[in-house]
Amino acid sequence: MATQRRSYQAGHKPKCLVIVDDSAEWDRAVYYASRWAMRVGGGVVMLRLIETEDQNQQWLGVADIMRAEAHENANAALDRAAGRANGIAAITPERVIREGDPAEQILDVIEQDVDIAMLVLAANPGAEGPGPLTTMLTKTVASFPIPLVIVPGDLSDSDLDALS
């Protein structure tokens, strides 16, 4: 990562990046990030990732329809998450929708916004593991450009209040 973080410099404010996905525990990450932002006077950037697959040219029309539906679903998910963040901490988060490889898109969002100071994810508390995104990112944590906060998915609101 070549870009220096400026989160705490004059004229900037720290932000945390939260991935809004279809997991059951996304709300825990949004809750933690919103409380953190309220306490430090920071902000929240919510990212919805749309994974794209190689499209066959003969199916281009179908691919366009699928992409439009994916963006509609992404906006609906971000609406829910933004409403939750506003209800928790009276903040209006920034919203970003990206298409492509999740790891590449997350790193690019971080690279583009010098105020992002941490990435907050929530881990699935079930036996099947923490979730694919959390698993993927923890493999690169030693070289990740910002701190990665993983919130246990079974923490209650009051538990998170005590931590954030």
Side-chain angles (χ1 to χ4, degrees):
M1 164 106 358
T3 305
Q4 178 70 38
R5 303 286 95 197
R6 297 175 189 253
S7 309
Y8 294 97
Q9 293 180 0
H12 294 268
K13 72 177 182 176
K15 300 177 192 173
C16 55
L17 177 62
V18 178
I19 310 302
V20 176
D21 58 15
D22 294 326
S23 68
E25 60 277 354
W26 68 264
D27 177 72
R28 302 296 71 206
V30 168
Y31 193 97
Y32 179 88
S34 299
R35 294 273 305 170
W36 173 86
M38 179 180 70
R39 288 202 188 260
V40 302
V44 175
V45 178
M46 294 184 173
L47 173 62
R48 178 68 176 209
L49 297 164
I50 299 172
E51 290 189 57
T52 56
E53 298 177 19
D54 292 333
Q55 306 294 336
N56 189 329
Q57 281 299 91
Q58 74 186 58
W59 297 105
L60 191 56
V62 174
D64 289 342
I65 292 169
M66 290 173 64
R67 180 173 285 118
E69 287 175 357
H71 276 269
E72 247 180 68
N73 292 338
N75 277 311
L78 289 172
D79 286 345
R80 284 190 305 276
R84 181 74 168 129
N86 189 275
I88 294 163
I91 62 170
T92 302
E94 296 175 39
R95 302 160 46 125
V96 179
I97 298 173
R98 290 290 189 94
E99 292 183 38
D101 176 72
E104 289 176 14
Q105 295 307 315
I106 291 167
L107 289 171
D108 190 57
V109 168
I110 294 166
E111 177 74 19
Q112 297 300 317
D113 189 337
V114 296
D115 290 340
I116 294 176
M118 74 172 84
L119 171 61
V120 178
L121 300 172
N124 179 347
E128 59 276 357
L133 187 60
T134 303
T135 301
M136 176 189 65
L137 290 175
T138 56
K139 290 178 182 175
T140 63
V141 75
S143 62
F144 210 69
I146 58 175
L148 176 61
V149 175
I150 301 175
V151 179
D154 59 357
L155 291 181
S156 69
D157 288 357
S158 60
D159 292 333
L160 291 173
D161 289 345
L163 296 169
S164 56

